[in-house]
C-alpha cells in the first residue's frame, strides 16, 4: 500500500529467490543454540497469533514450512530457515509476545529469548514487527518498538490479516500505523499491509526483505 511501488526488478529478484531452495535449519530454545552468525537475518516478531508463521509460509510460498495454529503460543523457539542456494539470508520465526494464557515462567522465558536475540544479534538486518490489522498497534507492540529504537535495531511494521477487514478500515489503520512509524527513530517509514490468505502485500514484503539485507 505504498504510493511508489517497489522497483519491478527488485520484486522479480525477490520472487525468484523465494521460489528457489529454502530449508529449515534449526530451532533454538535458548540463545546458546543460535546458529553461527554468518548470514544476514530477517526476523518475524509480533504478538501471539498475529500470523508470523503464516506470513513466513506465504513469503516462501510453502505451506507448512513454519508451523501455524489457531491456538496462540504455537511457536515456542527461534526457528531458522536458510534461503537460497548458495545461501543469501536466514528468516527467523519467533515465539509471540503478549500471550497471557501461557504459564508466567514460560512467557518470561520467551520474552528473554526474543528480546535478547533482537537486541544482541549482530547479523539481524531487520525485524518485521507484525500488527494485526483488526487491532492496530497495542501497548505491548510499543514496548517492543521502544526496545528496538533504544537498541537501534532497524524494523518495519507489517499489518497482517488484511483480508479480515473492509478496505476502508484497512486504509484507516494503515494511515494510523504509518503516522506512528514515522515518529519512531528505528522504524521504516513505510508499512506493508498483508494477507497470508489472499497474498495481498506478499510480493512487496519479499522485495522489502531483499532491500533490508541489501
Ligand atoms: P504464535 O506462533 O502462536 O505466536 O502465532 P503466529 O503469530 O505464528 O500465528 P500463526 O501464523 O500461527 O497464525 C495464527 C492464526 O491466524 C492461524 O489460525 C492462521 O490461519 C490465522 N492467520 C494468519 N494469517 C492470516 C491471514 O492473513 N488471514 C487470515 N484470515 N488468517 C490468518
Ligand atoms: Mg508462530
Amino acid at each position: 500500500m505504498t504510493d511508489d511501488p517497489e522497483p519491478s526488478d527488485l520484486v522479480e529478484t525477490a520472487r525468484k529467490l523465494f521460489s528457489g531452495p529454502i530449508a529449515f535449519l534449526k530451532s533454538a530454545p535458548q540463545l546458546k543454540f543460535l546458529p553461527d552468525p554468518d548470514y544476514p537475518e530477517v526476523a518475524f516478531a509480533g504478538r501471539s497469533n498475529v500470523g508470523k508463521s503464516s506470513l513466513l509460509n506465504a513469503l516462501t510460498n510453502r505451506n507448512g514450512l513454519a508451523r501455524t495454529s489457531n491456538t496462540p503460543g504455537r511457536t515456542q523457539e527461534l526457528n531458522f530457515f536458510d534461503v537460497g542456494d548458495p545461501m543469501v539470508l536466514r528468516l527467523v520465526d519467533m515465539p509471540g509476545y503478549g500471550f497471557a494464557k501461557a504459564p508466567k515462567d514460560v512467557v518470561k522465558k520467551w520474552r528473554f529469548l526474543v528480546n535478547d536475540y533482537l537486541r544482541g544479534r549482530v547479523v539481524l538486518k531487520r525485524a518485521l514487527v507484525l500488527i494485526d490489522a483488526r487491532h492496530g498497534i497495542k501497548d505491548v507492540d510499543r514496548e517492543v518498538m521502544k526496545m528496538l529504537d533504544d537498541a537501534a535495531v532497524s524494523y518495519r511494521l507489517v499489518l497482517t490479516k488484511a483480508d479480515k477487514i473492509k478496505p476502508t478500515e484497512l486504509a484507516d489503520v494503515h494511515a494510523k500505523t504509518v503516522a506512528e512509524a514515522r515518529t519512531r527513530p528505528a522504524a521504516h517509514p513505510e508499512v506493508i499491509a498483508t494477507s497470508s490468505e489472499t497474498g495481498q502485500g506478499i510480493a512487496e514484503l519479499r522485495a522489502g526483505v531483499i532491500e533490508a539485507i541489501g
Side-chain angles (χ1 to χ4, degrees):
M1 291 208 16
T2 48
D3 294 331
D4 305 312
E6 302 285 344
S8 58
D9 53 345
L10 189 59
V11 170
E12 179 55 16
T13 305
R15 189 194 62 76
K16 277 203 190 123
L17 176 65
F18 289 109
S19 56
I22 301 177
F24 170 72
L25 173 65
K26 70 184 299 189
S27 273
Q30 293 170 42
L31 284 186
K32 64 180 177 190
F33 297 115
L34 293 183
D36 290 340
D38 41 15
Y39 290 99
E41 291 173 357
V42 173
F44 292 74
R47 297 167 71 212
S48 291
N49 212 45
V50 72
K52 299 173 292 296
S53 302
S54 301
L55 197 61
L56 193 148
N57 288 339
L59 195 82
T60 58
N61 205 10
R62 270 151 255 235
N63 281 333
L65 185 65
R67 277 188 291 173
T68 65
S69 166
N70 272 323
T71 318
R74 166 74 262 186
T75 310
Q76 312 204 345
E77 300 166 332
L78 303 180
N79 292 308
F80 291 81
F81 300 88
D82 288 352
V83 180
D85 183 15
M87 272 271 300
V88 174
L89 67 108
R90 279 194 177 120
L91 295 174
V92 189
D93 190 21
M94 305 206 288
Y97 48 80
F99 176 40
K101 280 187 198 134
K104 272 209 176 89
D105 53 332
V106 174
V107 171
K108 226 175 169 178
K109 195 182 93 183
W110 293 350
R111 196 173 60 225
F112 281 121
L113 180 68
V114 168
N115 286 3
D116 289 350
Y117 168 83
L118 288 173
R119 271 193 299 237
R121 187 71 166 166
V122 183
V123 290
L124 178 63
K125 296 296 177 185
R126 187 160 292 160
L128 301 172
V129 178
L130 276 47
I131 307 289
D132 191 319
R134 294 169 298 179
H135 309 308
I137 301 174
K138 296 282 185 192
D139 282 344
V140 62
D141 301 312
R142 292 188 180 96
E143 281 171 31
V144 172
M145 290 159 68
K146 167 115 180 36
M147 182 197 77
L148 295 170
D149 286 324
D150 290 346
V153 174
S154 167
Y155 62 98
R156 185 160 184 171
L157 302 180
V158 176
L159 296 172
T160 63
K161 308 192 185 184
D163 59 286
K164 291 220 178 195
I165 57 173
K166 294 190 195 118
T168 50
E169 291 168 334
L170 182 62
D172 185 46
V173 72
H174 184 260
K176 284 187 179 133
T177 310
V178 168
E180 191 160 340
R182 292 186 179 175
T183 67
R184 296 285 181 165
H188 193 291
E190 298 294 347
V191 174
I192 307 178
T194 66
S195 165
S196 302
E197 286 283 317
T198 67
Q200 177 179 350
I202 300 300
E204 194 188 346
L205 185 65
R206 285 187 189 126
V209 169
I210 303 280
E211 183 228 295
I213 63 157

